[in-house]
Amino acid sequence: MICVSIARGRHRHVIAEHRHLVQQGAKLVELRLDYIDGEVNLKRLLADRPSPVVVTCRRERDGGKFTGTEEQRLMLLRSAIAEGVEYIDLEDDVASAIPRYGKTKRIISLHDYRKTPDDLEDIHARLTTLDPDVIKIATTANQSHDNLRMLQLIQRSKVPTVGICMGDIGTPSRILAGRFGAPFTFATFHHERTLAPGQLSYQQMTDIYHYDRIDPQTVVFGVIGDPIGHSLSPMVHNAAFRRAGINAVYLPFRVPREHLNQFLEDAPALGIKGLSVTIPHKEAVLKKLTSMDNTMVGIGAANTLMFGERGKVVGSNTDYQAALDSLEQALMVHAGRKGTLENQTALVLGAGGAAKAIAFGMKQMGAQVVIAGRTNQRAQQLADALKCKAIEWLNRYSVQPDVLINCTPVGMHPNVDATPYDKHHLRPSMVVFDTVYNPENTLLVKDARSQSCTVVTGVEMFVRQACLQFKLFTSQEAPSELMREVLKRTIGPAKY
Ligand code: NAP
């Protein structure tokens, strides 16, 4: 179950949001009395309430907004119990001062805005002595491992426990709470009005993650990177799982570089069977693989991991295959070509992860690859590894390519007026492939179309690599059209 927090200054807004949420399917709502401007009229808020409520009145030191005296606050909490609210939130230090009364269930809560304490189990044990019906512990995740500690605490607890790690590193603990046995998790009314760092809105929890369908059998997938908030993969993969009727969820895991090893060790205990990998981990994960094919050795980067029995970790690179498939299809429809890259001159802009995978693939297909990198040394290193040519960034127009591939982020939202390659150097005989997918119609793509080039967009590659991952994750064919539609919808029509 999702408990949706309502934090508004006016009574009528609280009441209206409560009704709206219940119409949207919410089963439990938290009324944050500390956000109400002026005197709280409990009877008005609670009369004809359309769902059970948790009443909370948080003081400033616990991240709340209540500015009255502590005596006034405790009085409000006692009054809410007297009114027969379904749940009352009592911080650990005031729990003894407010005895159990009537049918109101007691949530004994503790917040730590700085860290997830080492003695989490001891804290939990102490809270169990305060006559709780539910224990709520909200701490701050400073490392990915805090999520696992919190979720295992929930799982082991005899008293129903809502354990939340705050902050974007902690977001997975909010989504996986139910899988580990928490009676509910918290969400906000709107994604722009979060009450705690890392919190998701009710709509995100339901529409993207389908929270209420997550149970102990739900298989966990996700994407690891840092940063990760911008990733569109959760929208695309969760929609695909839903369409295919698979009991799985796909989460964004923000994993800082220094926490990667610990995270990969924790992955099976988190229920993770497979992961997408993005910047900055694509190369570092290779050290953790228990098996690697020749392609992986050649590229030196993985974008997909599958966790098997007895610590097996298998890596793949679906970027490579997706880019080649996208290009081959474009060549197939390109006038006068036979769908082959053999002896085509391919100019690759950029020398990062995407460039590595694509340049390696182009080389395998017999293309003459030239790499133009902003940092010459990085471009040269890649060229040496692939036994191809590197040129300086400023010399990129000295090559007359058959295929031009942008593997830099130039042109990506919000810098949509930038292009890595001047329009006047584009010729109709060229195939132009921009790996940037947000927006799909980058300036480079628009320029290439205006010059009658054959165009491959980053959306094409993104959908293909996601479909290949879906197949690895589930052994089923991916619902590719749905995934394309979700991606385009998420990027937004304004940019098309
Ligand atoms: P990366 O490893 O960080 O590499 C980025 C490359 O771009 C580096 O060589 C970097 O140069 C260069 N670069 C960055 N800013 C530049 C600028 N202003 N001018 C010239 N060069 C610049 O990133 P990546 O993983 O390869 O991703 C690169 C792009 O590919 C991104 O836009 C990403 O969205 C896209 N991509 C798309 C898909 C898809 O499915 N469509 C999949 C993967 C990646 P330095 O070496 O000097 O830093």
Side-chain angles (χ1 to χ4, degrees), residues 279 351-354 374-375 378 393 407-410 435-437 458 461-462:
I279 300 171
R374 180 179 62 173
T375 305
R378 205 173 171 192
W393 181 250
C407 296
T408 77
V410 179
T435 63
V436 172
Y437 54 86
M461 175 178 165
F462 186 97

Side-chain angles (χ1 to χ4, degrees), residues 7 21 108 125 196 201 217 222 232 235 257 283 346 355 418 451 480:
L21 282 167
I108 308 300
S201 70
Q217 280 70 49
L232 305 179
M235 283 68 146
R257 229 182 256 272
E283 286 147 25
Q451 301 294 81
S480 57

Side-chain angles (χ1 to χ4, degrees), residues 197-411:
Q199 207 171 27
L200 299 171
S201 70
Y202 178 65
Q203 201 181 6
Q204 288 170 315
M205 278 286 196
T206 51
D207 293 359
I208 302 174
Y209 299 104
H210 310 292
Y211 179 86
D212 282 331
R213 289 169 179 254
I214 298 175
D215 61 26
Q217 280 70 49
T218 301
V219 182
V220 182
F221 295 96
V223 53
I224 55 170
D226 187 19
I228 205 63
H230 64 284
S231 175
L232 305 179
S233 296
M235 283 68 146
V236 172
H237 281 284
N238 283 312
F241 290 147
R242 187 81 193 271
R243 170 67 61 86
I246 294 169
N247 184 7
V249 65
Y250 184 104
L251 313 186
F253 292 101
R254 188 186 146 219
V255 180
R257 229 182 256 272
E258 61 276 19
H259 303 155
L260 177 66
N261 288 347
Q262 180 68 53
F263 181 84
L264 295 177
E265 270 169 43
D266 290 349
L270 285 166
I272 294 174
K273 286 273 157 50
L275 288 172
S276 310
V277 183
T278 187
I279 300 171
H281 302 312
K282 283 185 179 179
E283 286 147 25
V285 292
L286 290 196
K287 289 194 209 95
K288 290 283 162 184
L289 301 184
T290 51
S291 67
M292 225 192 297
D293 60 25
N294 284 342
T295 308
M296 301 282 310
V297 177
I299 299 170
N303 78 333
T304 315
L305 302 182
M306 289 298 294
F307 295 84
E309 301 290 317
R310 292 186 289 281
K312 214 169 140 196
V313 189
V314 180
S316 314
N317 197 312
T318 67
D319 282 342
Y320 152 83
Q321 194 58 49
L324 281 195
D325 291 349
S326 308
L327 264 174
E328 285 200 322
Q329 197 196 31
L331 286 171
M332 211 88 87
V333 295
H334 194 66
R337 301 199 190 198
K338 298 191 194 86
T340 170
L341 291 163
E342 185 93 41
N343 288 325
Q344 302 281 304
T345 299
L347 176 61
V348 176
L349 304 177
K356 259 184 177 173
I358 295 176
F360 175 81
M362 302 290 287
K363 194 84 201 330
Q364 296 287 95
M365 304 305 285
Q368 305 292 323
V369 178
V370 181
I371 296 164
R374 180 179 62 173
T375 305
N376 201 33
Q377 190 193 5
R378 205 173 171 192
Q380 193 58 58
Q381 263 172 7
L382 178 55
D384 290 347
L386 295 178
K387 297 191 175 40
C388 65
K389 195 175 157 191
I391 56 171
E392 298 220 357
W393 181 250
L394 291 176
N395 291 340
R396 63 194 182 284
Y397 301 115
S398 64
V399 178
Q400 296 260 304
D402 301 298
V403 183
L404 172 74
I405 307 157
N406 176 33
C407 296
T408 77
V410 179

Side-chain angles (χ1 to χ4, degrees), residues 29 45 55 68 77 92 143 149 211 217 222 224 284 345 364 420 449:
V29 158
L45 293 179
V55 165
L77 295 172
D92 60 328
Q143 46 188 317
R149 290 175 55 219
Y211 179 86
Q217 280 70 49
I224 55 170
T345 299
Q364 296 287 95
R449 287 211 172 103

